[in-house]
C-alpha cells in the first residue's frame, strides 16, 4: 500500500527520499513522487511506475534539504501522474503526502469547488492541500489542525509549506507514521524499513497525534495543541535484515532466514525444567490463563491460516475449544464477545486495517485481546492488552513466508503455556519443547533440498489449476500452500480437505490437474493414502509433501520433511510449499517480490 517518507536536515533531501521510497517499494504501489523545498520554492516531481523511473526523471541539481515523498497505491482515481502524491494547493505553496482514505472527500470537493477551487486530480489528498492553504490560522501546525478538523477518515500525512520552509508537519489517524531522530536531521516514514539506514531512534505517533520536525528536533502534540512529550525509543533492526545479500529475491532470502530467525524467536522463552513457555508480554498470570474457556484467533490471509494452525495446537495441547476467523469477516458481523474467551489478533505488519478494527471491536465490548505481531510498536501491538512479538525480522516480500512460521511457532508456545496451566503434563511439555528446539536444524535440512523442490515446482508451473489437499492439522497447511502458489505464480490453486475430495472436487481431476497432498506420518496417514488413490485412479498427477518412510514407491513425486512432534509438524510442512511457490514463479519469470494487484500490508478496507 502507500508509503510516506520525509526528510529535514543538512543533507540534500532528494537522494534520502528516493532511497527511502525504494525501501518501501515492497509494500506495492503504482506511482511515486517527491516535493523538495529549496531556495526558489517547492519543486514537485511525480511519475507513474517505479521509483527508479522517478529518480531518472529528476534534474541533476536538486539541492533543497527539506522534502516529502510518497509511493501511491491507487484508491481515489487511477494511477496517473496527476493523481500521484505529493498533492499541492493551487498556488503550489502547500504540498501533502497522504496514506489512508478521507471519507468525506466528495462533499469537501463540492464545497471547495463552489468556492472557486479548481482540482487537478481525482484524489482525496488534494482536498487536504487546499484546506490547509485556505486556512487563516497563523502557523502551519494550526492550519493543518484546522484542515483536519474538517475531514473524516484515516490518514497518515506529511505537509510542507513554503512560508515555513524549516519544517514538516505530520499527523496520524488510523494509518502508521513514525519519526526517525538523527543528528541535526529528522526523518518521517510510514514504515521502519525506510528509516533503518539512517537511525534506529524512533517515535511512533499515536492516532490523533501530530508532530513538527525541524533540524533542531521534533515536537509531538495533540489535536488540542498540547505537547504529548514523546521520548524516542530504540528499535532493534539491522540494515542487513533489509538487504538482499546474495539472494535474487526477498522471498528467497526470507525462506532461508527461517532457521536463524526461529532460533532467535525461541531464545529465552522455553522453560525446560517445568516444560512450559515464558511469555511475559502476555501480562496474564496462571490464574487468568486458567480462566479462559475458549480461544478465538483473528487475522487475515496467511495470518488467518497461521491462526488455524494455532487453533488446532491449542485444542490438542491445552484442550480448550479454539478457532480462527478472518478478521475481515469478524469485524462486520457484530460479534458476541465473551468474558471467558481469550481473543488473539495475529499479524505480521500489525497494521492490517481489518485486523486492527477487529481488535478495537473486541476491546470496545470489554474482551481481553492479545497480539501475535511481528512489527514492534505497530498499531495492533500497541492496541492489544498484551502479546508475543514474533521476532521474524523485517519481511519485505509481499508473499509472507517466515512471518507465517513464526506465527505458528508463537501459537505453539501459547498452546504449551495454556496446556501447562491445565492438564498437559511436564513430560508432554518437555516433549514439545524438544520439538521446538529441533525446528531450526530441521528447517535447514528442508531448505537444503532446494534443487529437488525446484525441479518439482518446474513440473507444476505449467498447470493452469491445482489442488492442495490436507486434513485436520494438514488442512491449514494446504490452504497456505495454495495461497502462496496463487500469490506468486498466478495459477489457480485451491485448497480442499482431503476428506472432502470425493464429495465434489474429484470431478475436476484429470491428467491436467495436479494435486499437492499434505500427507504427514500421523494417525490419518492410511486414510490420506487411500484418498490419494482416488486421484491417481483418475490420472491426476500428484506431488506428496510427507515424512520419510510414508511413500515407498519411488515413482511418486515426493518432498520429505523431517518428522517432529505431530502437533508441530505443520510448521515444517509449510516450508517446502514456500519453495514450491517461489520456484514455480521463478520458472514462469514473474515479479516474485511484488506480485500484481497485491500490497504487503492492507491498511485500507
Ligand atoms: C500473505 O502471503 C499475504 N501477503 C497476505 O495474505 C497477508 O498475510 C495478510 O494480508 C495479512 O497481513 P498481516 O500479517 O500483515 O496482517
Amino acid at each position: 500500500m502507500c508509503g510516506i517518507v520525509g526528510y529535514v536536515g543538512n543533507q540534500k533531501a532528494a537522494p534520502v527520499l528516493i532511497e527511502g521510497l525504494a525501501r518501501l517499494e515492497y509494500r506495492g504501489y503504482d506511482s511515486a513522487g517527491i516535493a523538495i523545498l529549496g531556495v526558489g520554492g517547492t519543486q514537485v516531481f511525480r511519475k507513474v511506475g517505479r521509483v527508479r523511473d522517478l529518480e531518472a526523471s529528476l534534474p541533476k541539481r536538486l539541492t533543497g534539504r527539506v522534502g516529502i515523498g510518497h509511493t501511491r497505491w491507487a484508491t481515489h482515481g487511477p494511477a496517473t501522474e496527476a493523481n500521484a502524491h505529493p498533492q499541492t494547493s493551487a498556488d503550489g505553496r502547500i504540498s501533502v503526502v497522504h496514506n489512508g482514505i478521507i471519507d468525506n472527500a466528495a462533499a469537501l470537493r463540492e464545497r471547495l469547488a463552489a468556492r472557486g477551487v479548481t482540482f487537478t486530480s481525482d484524489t482525496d489528498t488534494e482536498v487536504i492541500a487546499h484546506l490547509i492553504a485556505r486556512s487563516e490560522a497563523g502557523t502551519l501546525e494550526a492550519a493543518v489542525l484546522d484542515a483536519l478538523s474538517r475531514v473524516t477518515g484515516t490518514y497518515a500525512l506529511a505537509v510542507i509549506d513554503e512560508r515555513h520552509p524549516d519544517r514538516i508537519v505530520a499527523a496520524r489517524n488510523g494509518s502508521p507514521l513514525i519519526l526517525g531522530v538523527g543528528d541535526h536531521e529528522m526523518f518521517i516514514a510510514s514504515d521502519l524499513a525506510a528509516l533503518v539506514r539512517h537511525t534506529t531512534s524512533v517515535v511512533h505517533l499515536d492516532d490523533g497525534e501530530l508532530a513538527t520536525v525541524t533540524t533542531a528536533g521534533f515536537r509531538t502534540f495533540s489535536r488540542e495543541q498540547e505537547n504529548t512529550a514523546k521520548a524516542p525509543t530504540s528499535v532493534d533492526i539491522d540494515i542487513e535484515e533489509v538487504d538482499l545479500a546474495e539472494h535474487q529475491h526477498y522471498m528467497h532470502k526470507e525462506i532461508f532466514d527461517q532457521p536463524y530467525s526461529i532460533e532467535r524467536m525461541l531464545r529465552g522463552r522455553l522453560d525446560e525444567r517445568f516444560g512450559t513457555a515464558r511469555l511475559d508480554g502476555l501480562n496474564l498470570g496462571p490464574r487468568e490463563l486458567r480462566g479462559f474457556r475458549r480461544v478465538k484467533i483473528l487475522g487475515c490471509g496467511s495470518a488467518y491460516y497461521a491462526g488455524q494452525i494455532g487453533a488446532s495446537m491449542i485444542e490438542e495441547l491445552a484442550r480448550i475449544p479454539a478457532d480462527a476467523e478472518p478478521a475481515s469477516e469478524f469485524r462486520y458481523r457484530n460479534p458476541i464477545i465473551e468474558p471467558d474467551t481469550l481473543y488473539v489478533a495475529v499479524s505480521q505488519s500489525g497494521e492490517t486495517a481489518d485486523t486492527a478494527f477487529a481488535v478495537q471491536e473486541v476491546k470496545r465490548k470489554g474482551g481481553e485481546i492479545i497480539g501475535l505481531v511481528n512489527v514492534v510498536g505497530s498499531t495492533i501491538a500497541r492496541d492489544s492488552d498484551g502479546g508475543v512479538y514474533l521476532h521474524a525480522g523485517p519481511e519485505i516480500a509481499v508473499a509472507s513466508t517466515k512471518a507465517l512460521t513464526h506465527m505458528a511457532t508463537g501459537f505453539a508456545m501459547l498452546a504449551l503455556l495454556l496446556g501447562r496451566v491445565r492438564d498437559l503434563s511436564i513430560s508432554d511439555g518437555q516433549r514439545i519443547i524438544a520439538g521446538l528446539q529441533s525446528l531450526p536444524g530441521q528447517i535447514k535440512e528442508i531448505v537444503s533440498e532446494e534443487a529437488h523442490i525446484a525441479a518439482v515446482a518446474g513440473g507444476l508451473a505449467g498447470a493452469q489449476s491445482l489442488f492442495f489437499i490436507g486434513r485436520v492439522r494438514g488442512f491449514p497447511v494446504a490452504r497456505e500452500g495454495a495461497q502462496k502458489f496463487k500469490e506468486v505464480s498466478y495459477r489457480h490453486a485451491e485448497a480442499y480437505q482431503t476428506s472432502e475430495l470425493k464429495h465434489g472436487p474429484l470431478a475436476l481431476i484429470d491428467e491436467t490437474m495436479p494435486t499437492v497432498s499434505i500427507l504427514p506420518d500421523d494417525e490419518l496417514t492410511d486414510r490420506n493414502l487411500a484418498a490419494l488413490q482416488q486421484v491417481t485412479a483418475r490420472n491426476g498427477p500428484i506431488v506428496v509433501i510427507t515424512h520419510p518412510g510414508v511413500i515407498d514407491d519411488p515413482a511418486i513425486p515426493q518432498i520429505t520433511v523431517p518428522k517432529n512432534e505431530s502437533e508441530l509438524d505443520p510448521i515444517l510442512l509449510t516450508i517446502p510449499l514456500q519453495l514450491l511457490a517461489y520456484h514455480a514463479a521463478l520458472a514462469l519469470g514473474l515479479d516474485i517480490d511484488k506480485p500484481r494487484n497485491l500490497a504487503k500490508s492492507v491498511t485500507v478496507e
Side-chain angles (χ1 to χ4, degrees):
M1 300 252 127
C2 307
I4 287 178
V5 291
Y7 176 74
V8 43
N10 297 319
Q11 304 183 53
K12 285 184 193 161
V16 178
L17 297 178
I18 291 291
E19 195 265 342
L21 292 179
R23 297 241 172 237
L24 297 183
E25 284 194 295
Y26 77 97
R27 299 176 65 91
Y29 70 106
D30 39 44
S31 56
I34 58 171
I36 304 289
L37 244 177
V39 252
T42 314
Q43 287 175 282
V44 177
F45 306 90
R46 296 184 296 223
K47 204 84 194 153
V48 175
R50 295 296 186 200
V51 172
R52 63 174 171 271
D53 303 324
L54 172 69
E55 187 180 13
S57 74
L58 297 179
K60 287 269 168 305
R61 282 186 55 78
L62 203 51
T63 52
R65 286 156 208 272
V66 178
I68 52 177
H70 192 261
T71 47
R72 174 174 186 258
W73 199 73
T75 53
H76 282 64
T80 61
E81 211 161 291
N83 286 340
H85 298 200
Q87 287 290 314
T88 55
S89 57
D91 56 2
R93 175 170 69 85
I94 300 288
S95 301
V96 180
V97 290
H98 163 225
N99 290 352
I101 293 178
I102 302 304
D103 297 332
N104 61 342
L108 289 169
R109 277 177 87 96
E110 247 176 61
R111 233 174 285 159
L112 286 164
R115 288 178 195 148
V117 173
T118 309
F119 283 86
T120 56
S121 78
D122 308 316
T123 65
D124 47 354
T125 307
E126 189 183 350
V127 169
I128 303 175
H130 291 304
L131 287 174
I132 297 172
R134 292 170 66 88
S135 169
E136 282 164 13
T139 63
L140 176 58
E141 289 78 355
V144 170
L145 277 165
D146 188 11
L148 293 181
S149 70
R150 291 161 212 271
V151 308
T152 57
T154 56
Y155 50 78
L157 51 91
V159 184
I160 52 174
D161 178 355
E162 291 179 352
R163 282 190 198 149
H164 303 277
D166 63 333
R167 63 194 54 211
I168 305 173
V169 173
R172 170 190 166 140
N173 187 44
S175 199
L177 203 58
I178 308 164
L179 312 182
V181 184
D183 185 12
H184 293 98
E185 56 184 359
M186 287 291 302
F187 305 84
I188 293 176
S190 52
D191 184 321
L192 272 180
L195 296 179
V196 284
R197 208 174 80 84
H198 307 283
T199 179
T200 52
S201 176
V202 302
V203 176
H204 290 272
L205 293 188
D206 284 316
D207 282 344
E209 202 169 28
L210 294 92
T212 301
V213 299
T214 64
T215 46
F218 70 95
R219 178 174 86 90
T220 54
F221 54 99
S222 68
R223 284 182 189 142
E224 292 70 41
Q225 293 238 49
E226 278 160 17
N227 283 350
T228 49
K230 281 271 179 68
T233 53
S234 176
V235 287
D236 184 17
I237 182 169
D238 191 335
I239 184 69
E240 278 174 24
E241 293 187 282
V242 292
D243 277 345
L244 264 178
E246 76 277 14
H247 300 272
Q248 201 183 337
H249 298 98
Y250 280 107
M251 184 176 177
H252 192 262
K253 174 177 191 273
E254 288 156 11
I255 293 171
F256 279 77
D257 269 355
Q258 292 174 108
Y260 313 98
S261 61
I262 291 281
E263 193 171 356
R264 185 174 63 217
M265 180 193 189
L266 295 174
R267 215 170 286 151
R269 285 172 154 175
L270 300 176
D271 179 342
E272 290 173 62
R273 185 159 166 237
F274 291 104
T276 189
R278 275 197 220 106
L279 301 174
D280 298 338
L282 290 182
N283 303 326
L284 295 168
R287 196 164 302 164
E288 287 158 302
L289 289 169
R290 267 193 77 86
F292 294 117
R293 298 171 64 86
R294 184 176 282 281
V295 178
K296 179 91 185 171
I297 300 164
L298 303 165
C300 294
S302 290
Y304 159 54
Y305 302 142
Q308 287 195 309
I309 293 174
S312 70
M313 289 170 170
I314 291 168
E315 291 208 340
E316 286 194 72
L317 294 174
R319 304 302 295 155
I320 314 176
D323 74 320
E325 180 176 344
S328 49
E329 289 287 296
F330 176 87
R331 61 176 285 195
Y332 285 111
R333 65 172 179 80
N334 192 16
I336 298 163
I337 303 300
E338 296 160 314
D340 50 5
T341 296
L342 175 64
Y343 293 86
V344 186
V346 56
S347 173
Q348 188 286 126
S349 60
E351 303 294 351
T352 299
D354 286 320
T355 314
F357 192 97
V359 171
Q360 294 295 343
E361 182 69 359
V362 172
K363 286 183 70 177
R364 212 174 50 75
K365 293 179 171 174
E368 179 83 31
I369 186 148
I370 59 166
L372 254 67
V373 175
N374 192 36
V375 176
V376 175
S378 56
T379 303
I380 296 169
R382 288 185 296 148
D383 285 355
S384 305
D385 298 311
V388 180
Y389 275 122
L390 300 176
H391 295 304
E395 191 180 67
I396 307 284
V398 166
S400 185
T401 52
K402 62 177 177 175
L404 179 117
T405 44
H406 279 247
M407 288 169 186
T409 307
F411 279 118
M413 289 194 282
L414 180 63
L416 178 60
L417 181 63
L418 287 168
R420 287 290 294 120
V421 297
R422 287 184 174 68
D423 299 328
L424 191 76
S425 67
I426 288 198
S427 59
D428 264 334
Q430 288 165 336
R431 172 178 70 79
I432 295 299
I433 287 181
L436 287 167
Q437 286 166 334
S438 306
L439 289 174
Q442 291 181 315
I443 298 173
K444 259 189 210 157
E445 277 182 54
I446 299 170
V447 297
S448 73
E449 292 300 314
E450 182 178 21
H452 168 59
I453 299 173
V456 176
L460 295 178
Q464 284 307 317
S465 201
L466 304 91
F467 274 137
F468 283 71
I469 58 168
R471 69 201 300 168
V472 191
R473 294 184 203 107
F475 180 53
V477 176
R479 295 189 86 178
E480 172 57 12
Q483 163 97 333
K484 245 7 20 115
F485 208 87
K486 71 179 83 141
E487 277 186 301
V488 295
S489 78
Y490 311 153
R491 296 303 194 228
H492 171 239
E494 193 176 351
Y496 250 97
Q497 292 93 342
T498 309
S499 52
E500 282 288 298
L501 264 193
K502 58 184 179 298
H503 295 293
L506 212 49
L508 291 174
I509 298 290
D510 63 15
E511 57 285 347
T512 67
M513 175 90 171
T515 297
V516 179
S517 168
I518 315 304
L519 213 162
D521 182 4
D522 63 10
E523 60 285 0
L524 293 169
T525 307
D526 290 341
R527 288 203 163 78
N528 282 329
L529 283 169
L532 211 53
Q533 275 168 15
Q534 296 168 0
V535 176
T536 47
R538 286 155 185 89
N539 300 324
I542 55 169
V543 169
V544 186
I545 315 294
T546 188
H547 289 129
V550 172
I551 307 276
D552 44 22
D553 180 353
I556 297 181
Q558 57 174 298
I559 301 167
T560 56
V561 306
K563 180 83 182 93
N564 198 303
E565 298 301 327
S566 295
E567 298 91 334
L568 304 180
D569 279 335
I571 302 173
L572 295 172
L573 290 162
T574 57
I575 312 260
L577 298 172
Q578 299 170 348
L579 280 170
L580 210 55
Y582 174 82
H583 280 285
L586 194 65
L588 292 164
L590 298 171
D591 190 355
I592 295 179
D593 284 337
K594 292 187 276 295
R596 67 184 182 203
N597 308 337
L598 298 180
K600 180 62 182 164
S601 58
V602 185
T603 50
V604 293
E605 281 191 46

